[in-house]
Amino acid sequence: MKNFKSVYKRELKGYFNSPVAYVFIITFLIATAGCTFYLGSFYERMQADLSAFFMWHPWLYLFLIPAIGMRIWAEERKSGSIELLFTLPITVTEAVLAKFTAAWSFVGVALILTFPIVFTVNYLGSPDNGIILASYLGSFLMAGAYMAITCVTSALTKNQVISFVMSVIICFILVLTGLGVFTQHLVNYMPVAVADFISMFSFTTHFNSLQRGVIDSRDIIFFVSMIASLLVANVLILEHKKHE
Amino acid sequence: MIEVQNLVKDFGENRAVDHVSFHVSKGEVLGFLGPNGAGKSTTMKMITGFLASSEGDVLIDGKSVKEHPLDTKSLIGYLPETSASYHDMTVRDFLEFIAEVRGYEGSNLINIVSDTVKKCYLVEVEHQTIDTLSKGYRQRVGFAQAILHDPPILILDEPTDGLDPNQKHEMRTLIREMGKTKCIILSTHILEEVDEVCSRVIVIAKGKVVADGSPDDLRKNSESYNRIHLSVHKAQELGVSEKLSALSNVEKVELISTNDNGLKEFYVYPSSKLNILSDVSKLAQSESWVLDSLSLDAVKLDTVFRQLTDKGDIQ
């Protein structure tokens, strides 16, 4: 895995060398603040917690993460640099892991930059910082799952727009299936057990669970295994393209 | 060094490379010729391990590209057709990235990058991002990353594409110099390049090898090899055609033109493609013919190329 570091560094540097990174971070920070204070009625709730902040993350990620990740493989394929990358002594697995981890770290940086909201809520009241920490962990893991989906769609096509649209649709379905409104509706058409089973695969279900402050291994395993299996799929797609 | 064994590549229904086999040794510069879409780039991509073959294998220094991809990739320097690189990086950062992946560290890394930058005449642009460079410079950056780790094998897909005549000359000199100690395969459309740098040529058409040999061997394939061009005054009266035909080693004499002053132009084809210029010259002298011209026809490689790739039959 010696080349993981080289590719990871190059990718991460690549984000910060391009204006896209700053547009992303600024949009993310403005959007989270806007959603928290206006749509989430942070002050009006009179509660010292960050649920008004975290509840918007699945929706913000829905557009922002595919926008950042759509280029990961599609651009390499379009510009031809993939030919260079895969004729260097690097394995496909190393490249996939490095590119994913760099993109995920980049989102992590954006997430860390939301720290003023934590100070704000601590200044205004006495929140349970354990819950906040668990929510941050949940948000970060969920971002990883969104990114892994985007990596897969990006590997499937040369066209970044197609990758973006595919990712948004898949992520939207995975957010939707965990929403109470949606599962209640599902129950009208199918047995409760089936509806529960479907919602088990939703980001929302597991993210909400972590937002309660309980770090349940099932939620962690859900996100980690989802990321891992998507990355395996990503490797397989790229290996398959060699044979096409 | 490179052993290409029965390589086949199918893209769906379309067979792009059809049982191609050849061997390239150290010290050889192999020119890979063929019309667009003949399968040159596809074959090169399979040698580098970027594409997997449908059938057959490539051995690099005795190791299979399929079974030992990392070992074989570290022996190869590859310049892709698009001279692809990461356009958002500066030349220096890009080459440092390549050096890191190629296993260089610390001061070794700095030194190898600096040396390569100098060798490829990139000093003045080393801190510029690649997307601001002209096509010629980008091509040089591509070449720089290919030779950085001093690989024993170089695969260059149209290395002089987009370069100006001076840069082309520099590049060819560099390739010829490196060809003494390395094993090089280069693809090109420019036939003068083949004469200038290649010790051997493979012509590929419709996915098949149609010729394999030195540029001179290829010329020998042409029916006009060692053909003599001759213009004689009063040829009719002097019986030039008959006397030429009577010479030993002459296969046929072809009249090309006659002008009003009785000047006739002939092509004299030797048998077994021998050089009979001195025989014809002696005959003309002994017969006191008044010659307007007498020369050995130079066979142009592009004529041979056209003949070979139009026919598309296998040698």
Side-chain angles (χ1 to χ4, degrees):
Chain A
M1 291 308 262
K2 125 187 124 57
N3 285 325
F4 168 86
K5 207 179 96 197
S6 320
V7 180
Y8 173 81
K9 255 172 45 193
R10 196 214 80 76
E11 287 288 316
L12 198 60
K13 238 174 143 182
Y15 285 109
F16 290 101
N17 277 342
S18 85
V20 180
Y22 302 97
V23 171
F24 173 85
I25 290 179
I26 291 166
T27 310
F28 179 69
L29 295 179
I30 292 175
T32 45
C35 289
T36 309
F37 292 101
Y38 295 101
L39 299 176
S41 311
F42 178 73
Y43 293 118
E44 291 80 353
R45 287 160 58 99
M46 305 289 281
Q47 282 177 16
D49 66 25
L50 283 182
S51 53
F53 167 71
F54 286 110
M55 68 188 283
W56 300 104
H57 285 202
W59 301 103
L60 292 173
Y61 287 161
L62 191 56
F63 294 99
L64 291 174
I65 291 186
I68 261 302
M70 64 185 183
R71 48 160 287 282
I72 287 182
W73 293 107
E75 196 183 42
E76 291 258 4
R77 205 166 278 286
K78 182 136 202 171
S79 74
S81 53
I82 194 161
E83 211 175 308
L84 178 83
L85 187 67
F86 287 145
T87 49
L88 290 170
I90 296 174
T91 63
V92 175
T93 310
E94 279 175 329
V96 164
L97 278 178
K99 275 170 154 296
F100 165 77
T101 317
W104 195 18
S105 313
F106 173 70
V107 178
V109 171
L111 202 54
I112 288 169
L113 291 175
T114 61
F115 71 89
I117 193 98
V118 181
F119 290 139
T120 309
V121 74
N122 271 286
Y123 175 76
L124 294 172
S126 314
D128 182 340
N129 282 319
I131 291 181
I132 293 179
L133 208 64
S135 303
Y136 263 111
L137 174 72
S139 177
F140 183 58
L141 286 171
M142 185 171 62
Y146 275 78
M147 190 59 85
I149 288 171
T150 312
C151 282
V152 169
T153 65
S154 182
L156 286 169
T157 172
K158 256 185 203 180
N159 188 320
Q160 299 192 25
V161 178
I162 294 177
S163 161
F164 177 81
V165 173
M166 273 166 46
S167 308
V168 171
I169 292 171
I170 296 168
C171 294
F172 180 65
I173 292 169
L174 288 170
V175 170
L176 200 67
T177 47
L179 292 181
V181 193
F182 184 77
T183 43
Q184 276 160 24
H185 195 66
L186 270 189
V187 175
N188 295 332
Y189 302 99
M190 52 185 74
V192 178
V194 178
D196 277 351
F197 183 75
I198 292 174
S199 78
M200 248 171 63
F201 288 96
S202 168
F203 291 157
T204 321
T205 313
H206 297 277
F207 181 51
N208 286 347
S209 159
L210 282 162
Q211 273 194 79
R212 284 194 289 272
V214 187
I215 300 181
D216 188 332
S217 60
R218 278 174 303 182
D219 301 320
I220 309 282
I221 289 170
F222 168 77
F223 283 120
V224 171
S225 58
M226 182 153 207
I227 291 170
S229 45
L230 285 163
L231 293 182
V232 170
N234 195 345
V235 171
L236 294 177
I237 291 167
L238 292 169
E239 289 283 4
H240 177 74
K241 294 248 175 199
K242 266 190 185 181
H243 292 269
E244 267 185 356
Chain B
M1 284 228 89
I2 303 177
E3 182 82 50
V4 175
Q5 299 173 333
N6 250 328
L7 219 51
V8 174
K9 181 73 189 172
D10 294 321
F11 292 115
E13 295 282 288
N14 176 28
R15 180 154 284 189
V17 176
D18 193 358
H19 295 97
V20 165
S21 297
F22 58 86
H23 174 94
V24 196
S25 317
K26 191 176 164 182
E28 265 190 306
V29 180
L30 174 73
F32 219 40
L33 299 181
N36 285 328
K40 302 185 300 278
S41 291
T42 309
T43 306
M44 288 178 136
K45 282 175 190 172
M46 287 190 280
I47 297 174
T48 57
F50 176 68
L51 279 181
S53 57
S54 308
E55 282 174 44
D57 202 357
V58 178
L59 302 184
I60 304 286
D61 221 8
K63 283 184 178 169
S64 158
V65 169
K66 283 181 183 169
E67 282 157 33
H68 305 278
L70 292 190
D71 290 346
T72 56
K73 280 174 187 175
S74 57
L75 294 173
I76 298 176
Y78 175 49
L79 170 69
E81 192 179 3
T82 48
S83 64
S85 53
Y86 292 106
H87 289 187
D88 55 336
M89 296 177 100
T90 66
V91 173
R92 177 118 208 150
D93 284 348
F94 173 65
L95 293 176
E96 282 180 359
F97 164 65
I98 298 291
E100 214 179 306
V101 175
R102 293 284 185 192
Y104 291 92
E105 288 174 327
S107 59
N108 278 344
L109 185 145
I110 304 291
N111 293 340
I112 195 86
V113 170
S114 299
D115 287 351
T116 312
V117 162
K118 275 184 217 144
K119 208 186 275 178
C120 297
Y121 308 102
L122 289 166
V123 178
E124 58 203 84
V125 295
E126 69 174 312
H127 298 296
Q128 260 176 258
T129 54
I130 297 171
D131 58 4
T132 63
L133 300 180
S134 66
K135 198 171 176 205
Y137 269 120
R138 283 186 201 181
Q139 190 75 355
R140 282 199 228 175
V141 173
F143 187 71
Q145 66 76 21
I147 62 163
L148 183 132
H149 58 301
D150 194 20
I153 294 169
L154 278 177
I155 312 282
L156 311 170
D157 205 348
E158 300 189 13
T160 57
D161 187 38
L163 301 184
D164 67 34
N166 292 336
Q167 292 169 335
K168 274 188 180 137
H169 178 73
E170 280 166 15
M171 179 69 89
R172 287 173 192 162
T173 313
L174 207 57
I175 294 172
R176 213 174 24 235
E177 204 50 46
M178 288 184 164
K180 289 176 189 161
T181 51
K182 293 181 194 301
C183 166
I184 302 181
I185 299 183
L186 66 91
S187 75
T188 180
H189 287 298
I190 310 161
L191 292 153
E192 62 186 83
E193 195 158 282
V194 173
D195 266 328
E196 229 178 289
V197 296
C198 301
S199 55
R200 196 174 134 210
V201 181
I202 281 184
V203 182
I204 184 165
K206 293 175 191 155
K208 291 176 176 169
V209 173
V210 291
D212 182 351
S214 70
D216 256 353
D217 290 340
L218 231 65
R219 286 194 175 84
K220 280 180 194 158
N221 270 330
S222 164
E223 56 177 22
S224 55
Y225 185 73
N226 273 344
R227 182 176 70 180
I228 287 167
H229 178 257
L230 176 77
S231 314
V232 193
H233 288 281
K234 296 181 186 161
Q236 186 68 45
E237 294 89 324
L238 297 168
V240 170
S241 182
E242 294 74 23
K243 283 177 181 155
L244 281 171
S245 303
L247 272 180
S248 57
N249 294 330
V250 168
E251 195 173 285
K252 71 172 178 188
V253 178
E254 186 187 330
L255 176 68
I256 327 169
S257 69
T258 310
N259 78 0
D260 297 343
N261 305 327
L263 181 74
K264 285 185 189 252
E265 263 186 287
F266 300 93
Y267 276 145
V268 184
Y269 292 88
S271 51
S272 313
K273 295 183 177 168
L274 294 166
N275 185 344
I276 52 163
L277 183 63
S278 58
D279 299 343
V280 175
S281 162
K282 275 179 202 156
L283 176 71
Q285 223 165 14
S286 65
E287 297 286 333
S288 306
W289 292 342
V290 182
L291 298 181
D292 205 49
S293 74
L294 171 65
S295 62
L296 199 61
D297 244 13
V299 180
K300 284 188 182 159
L301 215 47
D302 53 355
T303 318
V304 185
F305 176 79
R306 261 202 317 276
Q307 283 168 2
L308 283 167
T309 53
D310 277 351
K311 277 193 293 186
D313 53 353
I314 312 156
Q315 202 185 43

